[in-house]
Amino acid sequence: MIPTPHIETKNKDEIAKTVLMPGDPLRAKFIADTFLEDVKQFNSVRNVLGYTGTYKGRRISVMASGMGMPSIGIYSYELYKFYDVENIIRIGSCGGYTPDAKLYDVILAKDAWSESSYAKVQGGYESDIIEGTEALNESLIKHANELEIPISVERIHSSDVFYRENFEQYKEIHEKYGCVAVEMEAFALFHNAKVLGKNAACLLTVSDNLATHEVTTSEERQNAFTNMMKIALEMAE
Ligand code: HPA
């Protein structure tokens, strides 16, 4: 069933077994332009740019997920199910829920808590917590250690809503469920991996903090995010 409605390549081999997924298409392009060699673009449908190339001689792909669970839900499903992708590593930004989550810290999401209906609607999954794949997490931690980039392994919140009327609600989510930061995609990605028998992980860089109100500029982010990208790129095969 390829091409799919959202990915245009007719050749499965144009996509590597491991795909890095930033939310932003221009960040996918930045990664391809900055870090990859022998790059070939395999998708531009809706400007959701996808590229395959080599990193240190090993093959890897990078494609955007867009923002939110419905969006990453579509792209990750098509990559896993129809393009035989085995590993998807989300590389995104998150908002810290505690002062301990400092700007630019790198967090590995061991699991995601969510009030989203995504997993229940998609596959009848009843729990509100889904884990990432342990083997991928172990590899990512090893690569982070080798690169001497500090990384913390945490529970995160995957939210359907960026602008909540009750801003203070984050405190309750932090206290009740132990989530240290918020983003908007991991829960759906982890679910799709689980139902399709594939692997998923989520690396995040803290871009803002709800407790301290610190924010990064888009320029600062570009540079700081390279730490997370370098860890993930080591997963090239
Ligand atoms: N909320 C949701 N997603 C995010 C945030 C946030 O504050 N920061 C970065 N991704």
Side-chain angles (χ1 to χ4, degrees):
M1 246 213 29
I2 59 169
T4 60
H6 309 97
I7 302 174
E8 68 196 319
T9 176
K10 297 187 179 79
N11 184 356
K12 280 183 193 176
D13 296 338
E14 285 192 357
I15 306 180
K17 293 294 170 209
T18 299
V19 179
L20 306 188
M21 284 203 123
D24 178 359
L26 292 182
R27 194 158 289 144
K29 183 175 187 318
F30 172 85
I31 293 168
D33 289 345
T34 312
F35 297 107
L36 300 188
E37 290 175 342
D38 304 319
V39 174
K40 181 153 191 238
Q41 186 171 339
F42 66 80
N43 197 52
S44 65
V45 178
R46 290 177 182 246
N47 280 332
V48 172
L49 306 172
Y51 306 88
T52 299
T54 60
Y55 182 71
K56 300 182 180 173
R58 282 132 51 200
R59 215 159 165 261
I60 194 159
S61 294
V62 52
M63 185 175 111
S65 68
M67 288 188 285
M69 289 185 253
S71 187
I72 199 167
I74 291 169
Y75 293 111
S76 61
Y77 196 91
E78 291 184 7
L79 288 170
Y80 282 141
K81 176 104 181 170
F82 305 116
Y83 287 96
D84 297 343
V85 165
E86 291 295 326
N87 311 306
I88 296 180
I89 299 153
R90 165 166 153 71
I91 44 176
S93 63
C94 65
Y97 274 178
T98 88
D100 294 339
K102 306 269 187 263
L103 295 188
Y104 308 124
D105 279 0
V106 179
I107 293 173
L108 175 68
K110 86 171 173 316
D111 52 23
W113 175 85
S114 186
E115 66 276 76
S116 163
S117 61
Y118 182 91
K120 187 170 194 301
V121 173
Q122 200 286 332
Y125 184 79
E126 294 288 348
S127 166
D128 51 11
I129 292 171
I130 310 184
E131 291 87 27
T133 306
E134 215 173 304
L136 280 192
N137 289 348
E138 280 168 14
S139 297
L140 287 163
I141 292 165
K142 181 172 107 349
H143 294 312
N145 291 341
E146 283 164 2
L147 293 165
E148 297 182 4
I149 299 169
I151 186 172
S152 53
V153 184
E154 309 282 0
R155 171 167 298 162
I156 54 137
H157 175 203
S158 292
S159 178
D160 276 331
V161 178
F162 189 91
Y163 297 108
R164 284 179 192 249
E165 287 304 289
N166 178 6
F167 176 81
E168 302 291 323
Q169 213 173 9
Y170 82 87
K171 292 180 184 163
E172 190 188 322
I173 295 169
H174 168 61
E175 278 159 24
K176 207 161 159 190
Y177 303 104
C179 305
V180 304
V182 57
E183 54 84 74
M184 307 186 76
E185 290 84 13
F187 185 78
L189 173 64
F190 292 174
H191 173 75
N192 281 356
K194 204 180 179 81
V195 294
L196 296 171
K198 305 278 183 163
N199 307 309
C202 174
L203 273 179
L204 300 166
T205 301
V206 178
S207 63
D208 52 86
N209 191 299
L210 284 80
T212 63
H213 304 287
E214 292 173 297
V215 287
T216 54
T217 65
S218 52
E219 212 174 16
E220 287 170 325
R221 272 184 219 187
Q222 191 88 310
N223 299 326
F225 282 20
T226 57
N227 264 346
M228 169 178 68
M229 291 171 190
K230 284 180 179 162
I231 299 170
L233 281 161
E234 286 296 333
M235 302 297 282
E237 291 174 293

